[in-house]
Amino acid sequence: MEAAWLASATGFALAMSATPGPNNAMVAASAVNFGLRRSLPHMLGVSIGFPAMLVLVALGAGEVLAASPGLQAALRWVGAAWMLWLAWKIATAAPAAPGATPRGRPLTLLQAALFQWVNPKAWVIAGAAILAYGASPLLAAIFGLAAFGSLLLWALVGLGAARVLRRPGALVWFNRAMAALLVLSLVPVLRG
């Protein structure tokens, strides 16, 4: 591979992975509520799930979807429903008492990997990446590393926020703000 392709693809992967979106908001909220260790399976699920999706889209899954407007609509609405459910779970998460284990649990590796298939930002990024850089296992690997690094930064932001949000009322408002960001990320999807 050319150095210019590698640098450009890496920059694109980092920019797309680090910008706010459903995965980053959910990982930040997970780190605030459950800590880094319990959020690692969620982070790994995204870091494995998106590159797998990228490969499958490159192998033709994107063409099948593009040829089936009904399937596109179904995927859009299933994804929206799941994201609304996740937003509800985040917004209504009750803060744990100091020193207690939080109720609920973060997404599992499998749930986070499967979430990529209903994540509108993931579809946009996958299509743009394949159009710009071609189908390549190296591109998938670059995205996997970029995703994990970006998610780790978002989790660290969440951990830092957790220190500030020690009061239960502050944590409730943080969770509601993360849920609102998740819901707002649906607006472009539902419009079209």
Side-chain angles (χ1 to χ4, degrees), residues 116-168:
Q116 302 320 297
W117 289 91
V118 295
N119 178 352
K121 182 181 175 191
W123 278 102
V124 170
I125 293 170
I130 291 168
L131 286 173
Y133 300 101
S136 160
L138 180 56
L139 182 64
I142 290 168
F143 265 98
L145 293 171
F148 189 79
S150 297
L151 290 168
L152 181 59
L153 289 175
W154 279 88
L156 292 174
V157 167
L159 291 176
R163 291 187 180 136
V164 174
L165 302 171
R166 293 190 192 271
R167 290 189 355 260

Side-chain angles (χ1 to χ4, degrees), residues 18 31 59 167 190:
L59 291 174
R167 290 189 355 260
L190 296 178

